Amino acid sequence: MDRRNFLTTSLATSAIPFLNVNAAQKDKKVKLAFIGVGLRGRNHVEQAIYRDDVEITAICDIDPDAIKRTLAITQKANRKDPAVYGKNDNDFINMLKRDDIDGVVIATPWEWHVPMSVESMKAGKYTAVEVSATVTLQESWDLVDTYEKTGSHCMILENVCYRRDVMSVLNMIRKGMFGEMLYAHCGYQHDLREVKFNDGKNFYGGGVEFGEKAISEAKWRTQHSIDRNGDIYPTHGLGPVAHWLDINRGNKFNYLTSTATKARGLHKHIVDKGGADHPNSKVKFKLGDVVTTTIQCENGENIVIIHDCNSPRPYSLGFRAQGTEGIWMDDNKSIYLQGKSPKAHAWEPFKPYQEEHDHPVWKTHAQTAEKAGHGGIDFFVLRAFIESVKNKVAPPIDVYDAAAWSAISPLSELSIARGSSPVEIPDFTRGKWKTNKRIFGLTENY
């Protein structure tokens, strides 16, 4: 899960196969366009280019270097050069007017996600947007309202939903092995100090610059740590947990409370690496180093989410699934099931359970997925979008998921600003959660 390994897949890999399509669909080409082809966007381009059933018709980015690197990828794969857009911030709108685009993949700075997704849906395109999908509460409603008005699907590209262990746990939960679910723990605990700062030459680290003097994510992402105090990146942990607990499909989020520690890590990093006299040592960061959010669900479960990205620490999403019959924990990769585990009150390794209850999509595609970024999960999430476009069906992670999961950010900010008081989480489905059926993780399709 090292961010430096976004582009680990070899272009020598053969075309990725796809499942369960009829003869007509096998010959159909899905025509994709990409808005934002920086590191993350190029990772998606590489995943798409391996598929014989995908054409990349257009790319858009205001950074000429990003365009140059993307064209090098398509040329190396002997693909036709896509049309290029990027004359200004709004040139993506001109791209969306094309009639040779079935789906659009958006991997841009967060504040552009909703404006671009809305325009894409209005243009009648299937839309895939990177995490988090929204920044403000109103933006979550904008996504939902646009979908309901246009009927154009929007999928949040939450790749951790496809992590092999959490999908095995999902499989076990749906088999009833944990009994009735009570509690889930998750988060984003990842030292991002060298993501938020660089030297203006290297994508990660090497200096303590951000904003205009930096490149890549440090150019825009660090500003959120200056302006905001809340869980500003909740979906990596929350997405899988929402599937475990059937959120928006028989269950919903009701309210949350959030707390934040003092902010020390980013300032200390600047002083440690750049010295106390560096101009950035005077920057005041609003984001607490550790933000803890607790969600109460309609069916009585609690979820705890931790955001911890400014401190020296190993990577962990801190997953924990707990029910009336047992518990699984990510950090020690262990499990305890009442009446099944060999010793009372003692952990046992999770690996045998993961192998026994491995999800069908992993059983089918493990060998191919292992060549993809982030331990293989990037393969699955983009594949799900492409297959949804090809089959003209709702994506397994839909606009209501995008709205609800991403809304935790602004709502956690509001709770902290109000002294950690409870804040209601809107029902973006407008009551449809009561009858909505599960989509994600039911079959070997996607």
Side-chain angles (χ1 to χ4, degrees):
M1 298 293 288
D2 189 342
R3 299 175 66 88
R4 294 170 178 79
N5 293 329
F6 274 160
L7 304 179
T8 57
T9 315
S10 168
L11 282 172
T13 306
S14 61
I16 289 173
F18 49 91
L19 292 177
N20 298 330
V21 293
N22 60 38
Q25 289 170 328
K26 282 186 177 182
D27 295 331
K28 178 184 177 183
K29 297 282 189 179
V30 174
K31 298 176 180 178
L32 295 184
F34 293 80
I35 306 177
V37 287
L39 280 177
R40 189 63 179 141
R42 290 197 296 278
N43 177 241
H44 289 312
V45 169
E46 287 193 316
Q47 291 300 309
I49 213 165
Y50 302 142
R51 295 184 59 131
D52 291 336
D53 59 338
V54 170
E55 290 181 8
I56 300 175
T57 55
I59 58 174
C60 179
D61 202 299
I62 59 173
D63 180 1
D65 182 66
I67 294 293
K68 179 181 177 181
R69 290 172 183 264
T70 306
L71 292 176
I73 292 171
T74 59
Q75 290 163 5
K76 186 175 182 179
N78 296 316
R79 293 291 192 103
K80 179 182 177 182
D81 282 351
V84 172
Y85 294 80
K87 295 179 181 178
N88 53 56
D89 284 348
N90 294 310
D91 206 18
F92 70 93
I93 296 175
N94 293 321
M95 186 190 78
L96 292 172
K97 295 176 182 178
R98 300 177 66 99
D99 58 9
D100 60 351
I101 297 173
D102 301 315
V104 177
V105 178
I106 299 169
T108 54
W110 299 337
E111 54 267 27
W112 282 99
H113 284 182
V114 169
M116 290 172 170
S117 295
V118 165
E119 291 299 327
S120 178
M121 286 190 281
K122 286 181 178 178
K125 319 298 186 186
Y126 267 76
T127 303
V129 60
E130 263 297 346
V131 299
S132 290
T134 72
V135 175
T136 69
L137 185 62
Q138 182 57 52
E139 285 183 336
S140 284
W141 282 116
D142 290 345
L143 281 187
V144 169
D145 290 344
T146 303
Y147 163 70
E148 292 182 346
K149 186 178 297 184
T150 64
S152 299
H153 289 291
C154 179
M155 176 179 172
I156 181 173
L157 292 172
E158 185 41 79
N159 57 0
V160 182
C161 291
Y162 287 94
R163 213 174 86 170
R164 196 165 193 169
D165 54 353
V166 299
M167 290 197 82
S168 293
V169 171
L170 174 68
N171 218 5
M172 294 172 68
I173 289 171
R174 291 184 175 172
K175 291 176 180 178
M177 296 182 66
F178 289 92
E180 184 179 358
M181 287 297 291
L182 300 170
Y183 174 83
H185 191 285
C186 61
Y188 192 59
Q189 301 171 131
H190 189 182
D191 183 355
L192 294 183
R193 292 173 299 167
E194 292 197 349
V195 172
K196 294 183 179 184
F197 301 101
N198 60 45
D199 58 3
K201 300 175 183 178
N202 298 291
F203 291 129
Y204 300 115
V208 292
E209 302 297 344
F210 71 94
E212 291 303 316
K213 293 184 178 180
I215 61 171
S216 194
E217 288 180 75
K219 199 171 186 67
W220 57 269
R221 185 168 183 163
T222 315
Q223 191 65 39
H224 288 269
S225 299
I226 298 172
D227 298 337
R228 305 168 64 192
N229 190 18
D231 189 330
I232 62 174
Y233 202 64
T235 69
H236 278 337
L238 189 58
V241 166
H243 292 309
W244 292 351
L245 302 182
D246 292 326
I247 299 301
N248 292 337
R249 296 167 183 86
N251 198 4
K252 70 180 181 73
F253 301 140
N254 278 352
Y255 63 87
L256 63 74
T257 58
S258 294
T259 60
T261 70
K262 53 194 171 184
R264 293 293 184 269
L266 298 184
H267 171 76
K268 184 177 185 300
H269 179 76
I270 292 169
V271 173
D272 288 349
K273 300 295 184 180
D277 294 330
H278 193 284
N280 288 342
S281 69
K282 298 177 176 61
V283 175
K284 302 295 182 183
F285 294 95
K286 191 174 182 181
L287 178 64
D289 287 356
V290 181
V291 178
T292 304
T293 300
T294 302
I295 298 175
Q296 177 72 42
C297 300
E298 174 70 19
N299 291 346
E301 307 92 346
N302 287 346
I303 304 169
V304 172
I305 317 170
I306 307 293
H307 181 274
D308 178 1
C309 296
N310 299 339
S311 305
R313 58 155 302 126
Y315 177 91
S316 170
L317 297 189
F319 284 116
R320 173 175 158 188
Q322 189 166 0
T324 56
E325 294 295 327
I327 179 173
W328 168 73
M329 293 183 68
D330 172 19
D331 283 344
N332 61 356
K333 302 187 186 310
S334 58
I335 189 170
Y336 175 77
L337 295 177
Q338 180 174 260
K340 186 175 180 63
S341 293
K343 295 182 181 179
H345 312 296
W347 297 103
E348 59 175 318
F350 180 62
K351 186 177 180 180
Y353 287 88
Q354 178 173 319
E355 292 174 350
E356 180 180 354
H357 302 284
D358 199 15
H359 195 278
V361 298
W362 270 99
K363 289 181 179 180
T364 303
H365 292 288
Q367 186 174 359
T368 304
E370 285 173 356
K371 300 183 179 74
H374 288 109
I377 56 180
D378 287 348
F379 159 76
F380 286 108
V381 74
L382 189 65
R383 178 179 180 274
F385 177 66
I386 293 170
E387 294 294 340
S388 298
V389 176
K390 173 173 282 192
N391 291 286
K392 297 187 182 302
V393 296
I397 307 173
D398 65 16
V399 70
Y400 300 104
D401 298 323
W405 304 351
S406 302
I408 301 307
S409 284
L411 295 174
S412 69
E413 293 178 70
L414 183 59
S415 176
I416 290 169
R418 292 179 176 177
S420 300
S421 63
V423 175
E424 183 180 359
I425 303 172
D427 170 21
F428 294 101
T429 73
R430 297 184 173 97
K432 291 190 287 292
W433 66 271
K434 298 176 183 177
T435 55
N436 282 344
K437 304 301 181 185
R438 293 168 174 163
I439 306 174
F440 183 84
L442 292 176
T443 71
E444 64 179 18
N445 290 337
Y446 41 86

